[in-house]
Amino acid sequence: MFNPKESNGSFKSAPKAGLAGYNIYACPDQYFARAGFMGSVDKKNNLTLSLAGRFEGIPAYDAFGGQVAYRRPGYVVAIESGISYHIGKHGFTLYVPYNFIKNRIQSAADIADQNLQNSVITDPTKYVHVQGDAAFADYSINLGYTYRFNTHKKMEMHFSNTVKAN
């Protein structure tokens, strides 16, 4: 999902010297991919089970828009089990992804802060590495409900073709 807006205008904190703009929360891009298998386990095809892999996160830099705003970039890789049940027009789903890889990557603000600090250090062995904090959940529980309108009804269109004679 791309968001060309650089920030949402909400202030995170007072600006640090030399890092103006990174004290405002960003409107970051996001990405998500899911691939897996789903199969019916009953004769009426009402109950299905699924197993999938997921990859999702927030990049350090946006594809469109500005970069000078605060964000917590990173990604997770998960394995997701799921179950769905459909009866009539109603559908119920439960998906539980378990995040087994969680990685907080350096943000643009982290890199700018790191470069600012390292610019005054003369000994390269004492350079600092700046990487912000993050918290990732081990798992989430996703419940869903669907209702299907006009099941098995086809829309018919009728046209009349009339010609006026002068």
Side-chain angles (χ1 to χ4, degrees):
M1 177 169 60
F2 298 113
N3 189 339
K5 192 173 178 182
E6 183 173 31
S7 73
N8 65 13
S10 299
F11 287 92
K12 170 190 166 299
S13 59
K16 284 175 123 177
L19 297 173
Y22 290 112
N23 61 318
I24 300 173
Y25 284 106
C27 292
D29 294 344
Q30 298 177 15
Y31 54 86
F32 175 83
R34 179 180 185 270
F37 302 95
M38 178 180 271
S40 179
V41 294
D42 69 340
K43 291 182 181 180
K44 293 182 181 180
N45 295 327
N46 290 345
L47 182 67
T48 58
L49 299 178
S50 66
L51 186 65
R54 290 171 51 136
F55 179 68
E56 59 187 298
I58 295 176
Y61 297 97
D62 283 347
F64 308 105
Q67 310 301 331
V68 183
Y70 179 77
R71 70 183 76 215
R72 285 183 168 156
Y75 62 88
V76 297
V77 179
I79 187 155
E80 178 187 77
S81 58
I83 185 169
S84 63
Y85 183 74
H86 299 276
I87 183 163
K89 295 181 178 186
H90 306 276
F92 304 91
T93 57
L94 169 67
Y95 295 106
V96 182
Y98 176 76
N99 301 327
F100 62 90
I101 296 175
K102 302 171 244 182
N103 188 10
R104 164 60 157 91
I105 59 176
Q106 270 191 310
S107 68
D110 295 336
I111 294 168
D113 188 15
Q114 175 180 295
N115 292 342
L116 185 65
Q117 289 183 48
N118 289 337
S119 69
V120 295
I121 298 172
T122 56
D123 183 359
T125 63
K126 296 186 179 177
Y127 280 174
V128 296
H129 177 79
V130 176
Q131 188 161 346
D133 64 337
F136 295 99
D138 289 331
Y139 66 92
S140 61
I141 298 173
N142 304 297
L143 294 170
Y145 170 76
T146 57
Y147 180 81
R148 186 178 303 182
F149 294 97
N150 296 330
T151 304
H152 302 295
K153 289 186 181 179
K154 293 183 180 180
M155 184 171 20
E156 293 182 24
M157 299 187 70
H158 300 281
F159 296 99
S160 61
N161 192 2
T162 57
V163 178
K164 280 187 176 180
N166 289 353

